[in-house]
PDB file of all heavy atoms in Angstrom:
ATOM      1  N   GLU A 121       9.493   3.325   6.075  1.00  0.00           N
ATOM      2  CA  GLU A 121       8.438   2.336   6.313  1.00  0.00           C
ATOM      3  C   GLU A 121       7.679   1.993   5.030  1.00  0.00           C
ATOM      4  O   GLU A 121       7.219   0.855   4.860  1.00  0.00           O
ATOM      5  CB  GLU A 121       7.461   2.860   7.371  1.00  0.00           C
ATOM      6  CG  GLU A 121       6.382   1.859   7.741  1.00  0.00           C
ATOM      7  CD  GLU A 121       5.384   2.402   8.753  1.00  0.00           C
ATOM      8  OE1 GLU A 121       5.582   3.541   9.247  1.00  0.00           O
ATOM      9  OE2 GLU A 121       4.399   1.686   9.041  1.00  0.00           O
ATOM     10  N   HIS A 122       7.563   2.965   4.116  1.00  0.00           N
ATOM     11  CA  HIS A 122       6.831   2.730   2.868  1.00  0.00           C
ATOM     12  C   HIS A 122       7.532   1.708   1.975  1.00  0.00           C
ATOM     13  O   HIS A 122       6.919   1.172   1.048  1.00  0.00           O
ATOM     14  CB  HIS A 122       6.644   4.042   2.112  1.00  0.00           C
ATOM     15  CG  HIS A 122       7.925   4.727   1.742  1.00  0.00           C
ATOM     16  ND1 HIS A 122       8.876   5.096   2.669  1.00  0.00           N
ATOM     17  CD2 HIS A 122       8.416   5.110   0.533  1.00  0.00           C
ATOM     18  CE1 HIS A 122       9.885   5.677   2.055  1.00  0.00           C
ATOM     19  NE2 HIS A 122       9.639   5.695   0.772  1.00  0.00           N
ATOM     20  N   ARG A 123       8.796   1.424   2.257  1.00  0.00           N
ATOM     21  CA  ARG A 123       9.547   0.442   1.474  1.00  0.00           C
ATOM     22  C   ARG A 123       9.624  -0.920   2.165  1.00  0.00           C
ATOM     23  O   ARG A 123      10.275  -1.837   1.667  1.00  0.00           O
ATOM     24  CB  ARG A 123      10.955   0.966   1.200  1.00  0.00           C
ATOM     25  CG  ARG A 123      10.967   2.238   0.336  1.00  0.00           C
ATOM     26  CD  ARG A 123      12.372   2.768   0.150  1.00  0.00           C
ATOM     27  NE  ARG A 123      12.381   3.963  -0.690  1.00  0.00           N
ATOM     28  CZ  ARG A 123      13.450   4.710  -0.940  1.00  0.00           C
ATOM     29  NH1 ARG A 123      14.621   4.364  -0.396  1.00  0.00           N
ATOM     30  NH2 ARG A 123      13.371   5.783  -1.711  1.00  0.00           N
ATOM     31  N   SER A 124       8.958  -1.039   3.286  1.00  0.00           N
ATOM     32  CA  SER A 124       9.006  -2.303   4.035  1.00  0.00           C
ATOM     33  C   SER A 124       8.187  -3.379   3.329  1.00  0.00           C
ATOM     34  O   SER A 124       7.291  -3.097   2.529  1.00  0.00           O
ATOM     35  CB  SER A 124       8.452  -2.094   5.452  1.00  0.00           C
ATOM     36  OG  SER A 124       7.059  -1.818   5.401  1.00  0.00           O
ATOM     37  N   GLU A 125       8.501  -4.624   3.634  1.00  0.00           N
ATOM     38  CA  GLU A 125       7.783  -5.744   3.029  1.00  0.00           C
ATOM     39  C   GLU A 125       6.303  -5.703   3.386  1.00  0.00           C
ATOM     40  O   GLU A 125       5.432  -5.980   2.553  1.00  0.00           O
ATOM     41  CB  GLU A 125       8.412  -7.062   3.487  1.00  0.00           C
ATOM     42  CG  GLU A 125       7.801  -8.296   2.842  1.00  0.00           C
ATOM     43  CD  GLU A 125       8.515  -9.575   3.250  1.00  0.00           C
ATOM     44  OE1 GLU A 125       9.644  -9.498   3.760  1.00  0.00           O
ATOM     45  OE2 GLU A 125       7.914 -10.657   3.055  1.00  0.00           O
ATOM     46  N   ALA A 126       6.000  -5.321   4.628  1.00  0.00           N
ATOM     47  CA  ALA A 126       4.613  -5.277   5.079  1.00  0.00           C
ATOM     48  C   ALA A 126       3.811  -4.242   4.296  1.00  0.00           C
ATOM     49  O   ALA A 126       2.668  -4.501   3.897  1.00  0.00           O
ATOM     50  CB  ALA A 126       4.563  -4.970   6.567  1.00  0.00           C
ATOM     51  N   PHE A 127       4.419  -3.076   4.076  1.00  0.00           N
ATOM     52  CA  PHE A 127       3.680  -2.047   3.348  1.00  0.00           C
ATOM     53  C   PHE A 127       3.596  -2.386   1.867  1.00  0.00           C
ATOM     54  O   PHE A 127       2.564  -2.140   1.220  1.00  0.00           O
ATOM     55  CB  PHE A 127       4.331  -0.670   3.532  1.00  0.00           C
ATOM     56  CG  PHE A 127       3.496   0.439   2.957  1.00  0.00           C
ATOM     57  CD1 PHE A 127       2.388   0.917   3.633  1.00  0.00           C
ATOM     58  CD2 PHE A 127       3.802   0.984   1.715  1.00  0.00           C
ATOM     59  CE1 PHE A 127       1.596   1.923   3.086  1.00  0.00           C
ATOM     60  CE2 PHE A 127       3.017   1.991   1.159  1.00  0.00           C
ATOM     61  CZ  PHE A 127       1.911   2.462   1.855  1.00  0.00           C
ATOM     62  N   ARG A 128       4.651  -2.948   1.298  1.00  0.00           N
ATOM     63  CA  ARG A 128       4.618  -3.323  -0.116  1.00  0.00           C
ATOM     64  C   ARG A 128       3.545  -4.378  -0.402  1.00  0.00           C
ATOM     65  O   ARG A 128       3.059  -4.482  -1.519  1.00  0.00           O
ATOM     66  CB  ARG A 128       5.991  -3.845  -0.554  1.00  0.00           C
ATOM     67  CG  ARG A 128       7.028  -2.750  -0.801  1.00  0.00           C
ATOM     68  CD  ARG A 128       8.356  -3.371  -1.207  1.00  0.00           C
ATOM     69  NE  ARG A 128       9.386  -2.388  -1.440  1.00  0.00           N
ATOM     70  CZ  ARG A 128       9.638  -1.818  -2.613  1.00  0.00           C
ATOM     71  NH1 ARG A 128       8.896  -2.138  -3.664  1.00  0.00           N
ATOM     72  NH2 ARG A 128      10.609  -0.931  -2.751  1.00  0.00           N
ATOM     73  N   ALA A 129       3.188  -5.141   0.609  1.00  0.00           N
ATOM     74  CA  ALA A 129       2.115  -6.119   0.430  1.00  0.00           C
ATOM     75  C   ALA A 129       0.785  -5.412   0.174  1.00  0.00           C
ATOM     76  O   ALA A 129      -0.095  -5.953  -0.508  1.00  0.00           O
ATOM     77  CB  ALA A 129       2.011  -7.013   1.656  1.00  0.00           C
ATOM     78  N   LYS A 130       0.655  -4.195   0.700  1.00  0.00           N
ATOM     79  CA  LYS A 130      -0.542  -3.394   0.447  1.00  0.00           C
ATOM     80  C   LYS A 130      -0.393  -2.577  -0.829  1.00  0.00           C
ATOM     81  O   LYS A 130      -1.340  -2.438  -1.611  1.00  0.00           O
ATOM     82  CB  LYS A 130      -0.816  -2.459   1.629  1.00  0.00           C
ATOM     83  CG  LYS A 130      -1.110  -3.172   2.942  1.00  0.00           C
ATOM     84  CD  LYS A 130      -1.411  -2.173   4.039  1.00  0.00           C
ATOM     85  CE  LYS A 130      -1.626  -2.888   5.367  1.00  0.00           C
ATOM     86  NZ  LYS A 130      -2.808  -3.773   5.335  1.00  0.00           N
ATOM     87  N   ASN A 131       0.789  -2.014  -1.038  1.00  0.00           N
ATOM     88  CA  ASN A 131       1.030  -1.172  -2.213  1.00  0.00           C
ATOM     89  C   ASN A 131       2.411  -1.478  -2.786  1.00  0.00           C
ATOM     90  O   ASN A 131       3.419  -0.984  -2.279  1.00  0.00           O
ATOM     91  CB  ASN A 131       0.932   0.313  -1.842  1.00  0.00           C
ATOM     92  CG  ASN A 131       1.142   1.204  -3.053  1.00  0.00           C
ATOM     93  OD1 ASN A 131       1.159   0.738  -4.192  1.00  0.00           O
ATOM     94  ND2 ASN A 131       1.294   2.496  -2.809  1.00  0.00           N
ATOM     95  N   PRO A 132       2.481  -2.260  -3.841  1.00  0.00           N
ATOM     96  CA  PRO A 132       3.771  -2.607  -4.455  1.00  0.00           C
ATOM     97  C   PRO A 132       4.526  -1.387  -4.980  1.00  0.00           C
ATOM     98  O   PRO A 132       5.739  -1.472  -5.207  1.00  0.00           O
ATOM     99  CB  PRO A 132       3.374  -3.528  -5.616  1.00  0.00           C
ATOM    100  CG  PRO A 132       2.029  -4.058  -5.252  1.00  0.00           C
ATOM    101  CD  PRO A 132       1.357  -2.962  -4.499  1.00  0.00           C
ATOM    102  N   ASP A 133       3.823  -0.253  -5.154  1.00  0.00           N
ATOM    103  CA  ASP A 133       4.497   0.971  -5.591  1.00  0.00           C
ATOM    104  C   ASP A 133       5.419   1.534  -4.519  1.00  0.00           C
ATOM    105  O   ASP A 133       6.249   2.404  -4.799  1.00  0.00           O
ATOM    106  CB  ASP A 133       3.471   2.052  -5.959  1.00  0.00           C
ATOM    107  CG  ASP A 133       2.579   1.643  -7.117  1.00  0.00           C
ATOM    108  OD1 ASP A 133       3.018   0.817  -7.940  1.00  0.00           O
ATOM    109  OD2 ASP A 133       1.441   2.149  -7.195  1.00  0.00           O
ATOM    110  N   ALA A 134       5.251   1.075  -3.284  1.00  0.00           N
ATOM    111  CA  ALA A 134       6.041   1.573  -2.153  1.00  0.00           C
ATOM    112  C   ALA A 134       5.921   3.083  -2.030  1.00  0.00           C
ATOM    113  O   ALA A 134       6.908   3.806  -1.926  1.00  0.00           O
ATOM    114  CB  ALA A 134       7.509   1.161  -2.275  1.00  0.00           C
ATOM    115  N   ALA A 135       4.691   3.553  -2.051  1.00  0.00           N
ATOM    116  CA  ALA A 135       4.431   4.987  -1.987  1.00  0.00           C
ATOM    117  C   ALA A 135       3.127   5.234  -1.251  1.00  0.00           C
ATOM    118  O   ALA A 135       2.241   4.378  -1.194  1.00  0.00           O
ATOM    119  CB  ALA A 135       4.367   5.581  -3.398  1.00  0.00           C
ATOM    120  N   VAL A 136       3.024   6.409  -0.665  1.00  0.00           N
ATOM    121  CA  VAL A 136       1.768   6.842  -0.053  1.00  0.00           C
ATOM    122  C   VAL A 136       1.153   7.931  -0.947  1.00  0.00           C
ATOM    123  O   VAL A 136       1.876   8.638  -1.644  1.00  0.00           O
ATOM    124  CB  VAL A 136       2.009   7.396   1.372  1.00  0.00           C
ATOM    125  CG1 VAL A 136       2.379   6.274   2.310  1.00  0.00           C
ATOM    126  CG2 VAL A 136       3.077   8.485   1.386  1.00  0.00           C
ATOM    127  N   PRO A 137      -0.195   8.003  -0.916  1.00  0.00           N
ATOM    128  CA  PRO A 137      -1.144   7.310  -0.064  1.00  0.00           C
ATOM    129  C   PRO A 137      -1.553   5.955  -0.632  1.00  0.00           C
ATOM    130  O   PRO A 137      -1.297   5.651  -1.795  1.00  0.00           O
ATOM    131  CB  PRO A 137      -2.340   8.264  -0.053  1.00  0.00           C
ATOM    132  CG  PRO A 137      -2.314   8.873  -1.428  1.00  0.00           C
ATOM    133  CD  PRO A 137      -0.844   9.056  -1.737  1.00  0.00           C
ATOM    134  N   CYS A 138      -2.221   5.199   0.230  1.00  0.00           N
ATOM    135  CA  CYS A 138      -2.811   3.921  -0.169  1.00  0.00           C
ATOM    136  C   CYS A 138      -4.140   3.794   0.566  1.00  0.00           C
ATOM    137  O   CYS A 138      -4.197   4.022   1.781  1.00  0.00           O
ATOM    138  CB  CYS A 138      -1.875   2.769   0.183  1.00  0.00           C
ATOM    139  SG  CYS A 138      -2.541   1.125  -0.182  1.00  0.00           S
ATOM    140  N   LEU A 139      -5.180   3.467  -0.172  1.00  0.00           N
ATOM    141  CA  LEU A 139      -6.515   3.302   0.402  1.00  0.00           C
ATOM    142  C   LEU A 139      -6.794   1.821   0.613  1.00  0.00           C
ATOM    143  O   LEU A 139      -6.600   1.010  -0.297  1.00  0.00           O
ATOM    144  CB  LEU A 139      -7.558   3.900  -0.543  1.00  0.00           C
ATOM    145  CG  LEU A 139      -9.036   3.680  -0.207  1.00  0.00           C
ATOM    146  CD1 LEU A 139      -9.412   4.416   1.074  1.00  0.00           C
ATOM    147  CD2 LEU A 139      -9.910   4.148  -1.372  1.00  0.00           C
ATOM    148  N   GLU A 140      -7.233   1.461   1.817  1.00  0.00           N
ATOM    149  CA  GLU A 140      -7.593   0.083   2.116  1.00  0.00           C
ATOM    150  C   GLU A 140      -9.074   0.025   2.467  1.00  0.00           C
ATOM    151  O   GLU A 140      -9.530   0.712   3.395  1.00  0.00           O
ATOM    152  CB  GLU A 140      -6.759  -0.470   3.265  1.00  0.00           C
ATOM    153  CG  GLU A 140      -7.025  -1.936   3.555  1.00  0.00           C
ATOM    154  CD  GLU A 140      -6.111  -2.493   4.628  1.00  0.00           C
ATOM    155  OE1 GLU A 140      -5.741  -1.743   5.556  1.00  0.00           O
ATOM    156  OE2 GLU A 140      -5.753  -3.686   4.541  1.00  0.00           O
ATOM    157  N   LEU A 141      -9.837  -0.768   1.731  1.00  0.00           N
ATOM    158  CA  LEU A 141     -11.266  -0.904   1.962  1.00  0.00           C
ATOM    159  C   LEU A 141     -11.541  -1.945   3.035  1.00  0.00           C
ATOM    160  O   LEU A 141     -10.656  -2.712   3.421  1.00  0.00           O
ATOM    161  CB  LEU A 141     -11.964  -1.278   0.659  1.00  0.00           C
ATOM    162  CG  LEU A 141     -11.695  -0.363  -0.539  1.00  0.00           C
ATOM    163  CD1 LEU A 141     -12.496  -0.828  -1.749  1.00  0.00           C
ATOM    164  CD2 LEU A 141     -12.025   1.085  -0.194  1.00  0.00           C
ATOM    165  N   SER A 142     -12.775  -2.001   3.502  1.00  0.00           N
ATOM    166  CA  SER A 142     -13.136  -2.909   4.589  1.00  0.00           C
ATOM    167  C   SER A 142     -12.984  -4.377   4.211  1.00  0.00           C
ATOM    168  O   SER A 142     -12.797  -5.229   5.080  1.00  0.00           O
ATOM    169  CB  SER A 142     -14.577  -2.647   5.031  1.00  0.00           C
ATOM    170  OG  SER A 142     -15.474  -2.813   3.947  1.00  0.00           O
ATOM    171  N   ASP A 143     -13.031  -4.678   2.897  1.00  0.00           N
ATOM    172  CA  ASP A 143     -12.863  -6.069   2.470  1.00  0.00           C
ATOM    173  C   ASP A 143     -11.411  -6.441   2.221  1.00  0.00           C
ATOM    174  O   ASP A 143     -11.109  -7.535   1.763  1.00  0.00           O
ATOM    175  CB  ASP A 143     -13.699  -6.346   1.213  1.00  0.00           C
ATOM    176  CG  ASP A 143     -13.214  -5.570  -0.009  1.00  0.00           C
ATOM    177  OD1 ASP A 143     -12.245  -4.789   0.103  1.00  0.00           O
ATOM    178  OD2 ASP A 143     -13.812  -5.739  -1.095  1.00  0.00           O
ATOM    179  N   GLY A 144     -10.493  -5.491   2.528  1.00  0.00           N
ATOM    180  CA  GLY A 144      -9.066  -5.760   2.364  1.00  0.00           C
ATOM    181  C   GLY A 144      -8.487  -5.304   1.045  1.00  0.00           C
ATOM    182  O   GLY A 144      -7.269  -5.339   0.855  1.00  0.00           O
ATOM    183  N   THR A 145      -9.343  -4.863   0.114  1.00  0.00           N
ATOM    184  CA  THR A 145      -8.853  -4.361  -1.166  1.00  0.00           C
ATOM    185  C   THR A 145      -8.027  -3.098  -0.945  1.00  0.00           C
ATOM    186  O   THR A 145      -8.445  -2.195  -0.208  1.00  0.00           O
ATOM    187  CB  THR A 145     -10.025  -4.035  -2.114  1.00  0.00           C
ATOM    188  OG1 THR A 145     -10.772  -5.218  -2.357  1.00  0.00           O
ATOM    189  CG2 THR A 145      -9.522  -3.470  -3.436  1.00  0.00           C
ATOM    190  N   CYS A 146      -6.870  -3.021  -1.590  1.00  0.00           N
ATOM    191  CA  CYS A 146      -6.014  -1.844  -1.488  1.00  0.00           C
ATOM    192  C   CYS A 146      -5.940  -1.145  -2.838  1.00  0.00           C
ATOM    193  O   CYS A 146      -5.756  -1.798  -3.872  1.00  0.00           O
ATOM    194  CB  CYS A 146      -4.609  -2.231  -1.027  1.00  0.00           C
ATOM    195  SG  CYS A 146      -4.550  -2.778   0.701  1.00  0.00           S
ATOM    196  N   ILE A 147      -6.112   0.164  -2.814  1.00  0.00           N
ATOM    197  CA  ILE A 147      -6.074   0.972  -4.028  1.00  0.00           C
ATOM    198  C   ILE A 147      -4.984   2.026  -3.856  1.00  0.00           C
ATOM    199  O   ILE A 147      -4.998   2.785  -2.880  1.00  0.00           O
ATOM    200  CB  ILE A 147      -7.427   1.655  -4.291  1.00  0.00           C
ATOM    201  CG1 ILE A 147      -8.540   0.605  -4.414  1.00  0.00           C
ATOM    202  CG2 ILE A 147      -7.362   2.519  -5.546  1.00  0.00           C
ATOM    203  CD1 ILE A 147      -9.937   1.199  -4.470  1.00  0.00           C
ATOM    204  N   SER A 148      -4.041   2.057  -4.782  1.00  0.00           N
ATOM    205  CA  SER A 148      -2.997   3.070  -4.769  1.00  0.00           C
ATOM    206  C   SER A 148      -3.163   3.965  -5.988  1.00  0.00           C
ATOM    207  O   SER A 148      -4.079   3.759  -6.792  1.00  0.00           O
ATOM    208  CB  SER A 148      -1.613   2.427  -4.748  1.00  0.00           C
ATOM    209  OG  SER A 148      -1.433   1.622  -5.901  1.00  0.00           O
ATOM    210  N   GLN A 149      -2.275   4.957  -6.120  1.00  0.00           N
ATOM    211  CA  GLN A 149      -2.329   5.969  -7.169  1.00  0.00           C
ATOM    212  C   GLN A 149      -3.444   6.974  -6.859  1.00  0.00           C
ATOM    213  O   GLN A 149      -4.622   6.610  -6.785  1.00  0.00           O
ATOM    214  CB  GLN A 149      -2.520   5.371  -8.562  1.00  0.00           C
ATOM    215  CG  GLN A 149      -1.429   4.397  -8.993  1.00  0.00           C
ATOM    216  CD  GLN A 149      -0.095   5.090  -9.238  1.00  0.00           C
ATOM    217  OE1 GLN A 149      -0.037   6.273  -9.559  1.00  0.00           O
ATOM    218  NE2 GLN A 149       0.997   4.340  -9.127  1.00  0.00           N
TER     219      GLN A 149
END
C-alpha cells in the first residue's frame, strides 16, 4: 500500500511513517 499512487501523493518516498497535519501538509522522514 505504501507504493500506491494514493499514498505516494502524501509521501513521494513511498515509506512510512508520514505525518499529515490538519491543513493537509504532509511531512515525511
Side-chain angles (χ1 to χ4, degrees):
E121 184 182 355
H122 60 303
R123 296 177 179 174
S124 68
E125 184 176 343
F127 188 78
R128 282 179 181 270
K130 297 182 183 296
N131 182 11
D133 298 334
V136 290
C138 177
L139 173 67
E140 184 176 33
L141 306 182
S142 58
D143 66 359
T145 299
C146 290
I147 302 171
S148 60
Q149 301 291 334

